[in-house]
Amino acid sequence: MTTTLAQDLKDAAALLARANDVTLLGHVRPDADALGSALALGRALQLRGGVKVRVSVGEPEEMPETLRSLDAGGLYVPASELPESEQLLVALDTPTPGRLGKLASRVDAVRAAGGDVLVIDHHASNVFFGTKHVVDDSAEATAVLVFALLEELGTEIDEPIARCLYAGLVTDTSGFRRARPSTHLMAAKLLEAGVDPDKVVREIVDDHPFAWLPMLSDVLAGARLEPDEARGFGLAYAVVTLDAARTVRGEEVEAVIDVVRSTREAGVAVVLKEAEPTGPSRRWTVSLRSAGGVDVSAAAGELGGGGHRQAAGCTAEGTPGEVLDRLRAALSRAPLL
């Protein structure tokens, strides 16, 4: 741990220790790291007593079904039911205010009112939009930073907190394939706190309704491989339309990228997911994954998104062909890893 990060953790702990009204936000369409980190820190504050705590995201209104078991303290509040303001806003796993969706305006509102915005994140693309920051792009997950912050606070980590952190850790490290020895040691401490790893992974990663299978069959039937794209590393892509996704949850749509990325002949995998019609055009959320040859965060950044060098995303409008053309061009300019 660097001296700067150690001081940032102390400053963040001091800020949280005196807080009595806190809203914790994850990014839109939250994954287990964003929501797990927020719920873990929220529960720690809740257990301290005397603190109003709420956790939310800008989209969707309801918590994703696969992540509901993480909210042992009933902290989740739909965005439409949040109070007008709070003394302290904590943004987790969120590199830019835009990733908060319709809740992005709360950042400026809190700052204008003299409140604090604490940003806890592990994205290299973080723009440091808070008043205090715990940002480390070498951390494999935001959960790693929350764990360090809870240690700084002297929080006793119970099973619900540990479960939230483990969920973020196991998903953002691809099942610990990209975890450092220190992160494995952190996972061991979470298991000692009572986490059932099989249950966590089954609920969040492996559990899909039968409707996922025909959806996946339909989508993969249209998947394509372009061996010469992505700077010669190969590109595999698939498109999930609203019609194809009509019978499944958002979680099933998000899981498609994990299937496409397993293509041996492609160093880069891309999935376009139709979000909503926008007049004559169409709006897509895009997931990009790299097997290690190409920096996909740079390509996503060209389209207004961001993320990690091996996992990134963006939003784009147009036909699938138009969006893919922009992605191909961006990938052709992306740095090599």
Side-chain angles (χ1 to χ4, degrees):
M1 182 184 298
T2 66
T3 303
T4 300
L5 180 59
Q7 185 59 53
D8 288 345
L9 287 167
K10 290 182 182 298
D11 292 343
L15 182 64
L16 290 166
R18 61 177 181 266
N20 55 37
D21 189 297
V22 185
T23 297
L24 302 104
L25 301 179
H27 56 71
V28 292
R29 297 178 296 281
D31 57 10
D33 191 30
L35 207 47
S37 295
L39 289 167
L41 183 54
R43 179 172 172 82
L45 295 173
Q46 182 186 48
L47 292 177
R48 191 181 78 200
V51 187
K52 294 179 181 177
V53 184
R54 59 197 76 85
V55 172
S56 191
V57 298
E59 178 189 327
E61 271 286 291
E62 299 301 321
M63 185 186 302
E65 185 179 338
T66 53
L67 302 178
R68 290 176 189 169
S69 64
L70 301 180
D71 189 12
L75 295 175
Y76 189 82
V77 177
S80 61
E81 297 178 17
L82 287 173
E84 291 186 4
S85 64
E86 53 277 311
Q87 297 172 357
L88 173 61
L89 185 71
V90 184
L92 298 105
D93 203 41
T94 303
T96 67
R99 288 289 285 149
L100 295 172
K102 63 185 178 184
L103 298 178
S105 60
R106 299 182 82 90
V107 173
D108 287 341
V110 169
R111 297 187 65 161
D116 284 293
V117 178
L118 171 61
V119 177
I120 307 173
D121 185 36
H122 71 128
H123 291 88
S125 55
N126 194 284
V127 298
F128 291 79
F129 58 93
T131 58
K132 298 286 185 183
H133 304 89
V134 177
V135 175
D136 179 10
D137 65 1
S138 71
E140 300 96 325
T142 296
V144 172
L145 299 174
V146 171
F147 180 80
L149 182 53
L150 294 180
E151 287 194 317
E152 185 68 37
L153 284 164
T155 301
E156 181 178 348
I157 295 180
D158 63 5
E159 190 278 334
I161 291 176
R163 191 185 339 138
C164 289
L165 295 175
Y166 190 86
L169 206 57
V170 72
T171 52
D172 260 35
T173 61
S174 299
F176 296 101
R177 284 176 287 181
R178 294 183 289 104
R180 295 171 295 182
S182 60
T183 308
H184 282 279
L185 291 174
M186 171 185 161
K189 293 179 181 178
L190 300 177
L191 296 178
E192 289 173 351
V195 172
D196 180 341
D198 179 63
K199 187 173 186 291
V200 171
V201 175
R202 186 171 64 251
E203 288 180 346
I204 294 175
V205 180
D206 296 337
D207 186 23
H208 297 287
F210 181 80
W212 186 58
L213 297 180
M215 183 277 284
L216 195 60
S217 175
D218 182 31
V219 168
L220 295 184
R224 295 293 181 268
L225 172 67
E226 298 178 353
D228 297 327
E229 293 295 337
R231 304 199 60 175
F233 285 92
L235 169 67
Y237 67 84
V239 178
V240 185
T241 63
L242 284 173
D243 186 59
R246 70 186 185 283
T247 61
V248 298
R249 308 168 302 179
E251 290 96 315
E252 276 66 62
V253 176
E254 295 300 325
V256 173
I257 188 65
D258 293 319
V259 179
V260 178
R261 73 186 297 183
S262 65
T263 304
R264 179 186 301 169
E265 298 92 340
V268 173
V270 170
V271 173
L272 274 60
K273 300 158 289 183
E274 190 173 13
E276 60 188 40
T278 52
S281 186
R282 296 156 82 181
R283 180 170 170 263
W284 307 85
T285 58
V286 183
S287 295
L288 300 96
R289 299 292 185 270
S290 172
V294 180
D295 181 352
V296 291
S297 69
E302 283 199 31
L303 276 72
H308 307 290
R309 288 182 285 272
Q310 291 181 255
C314 59
T315 301
E317 291 191 9
T319 66
E322 290 168 343
V323 174
L324 285 164
D325 282 344
R326 296 201 292 273
L327 286 167
R328 290 186 190 97
L331 287 166
S332 72
R333 295 184 288 268
L336 300 180
L337 297 176

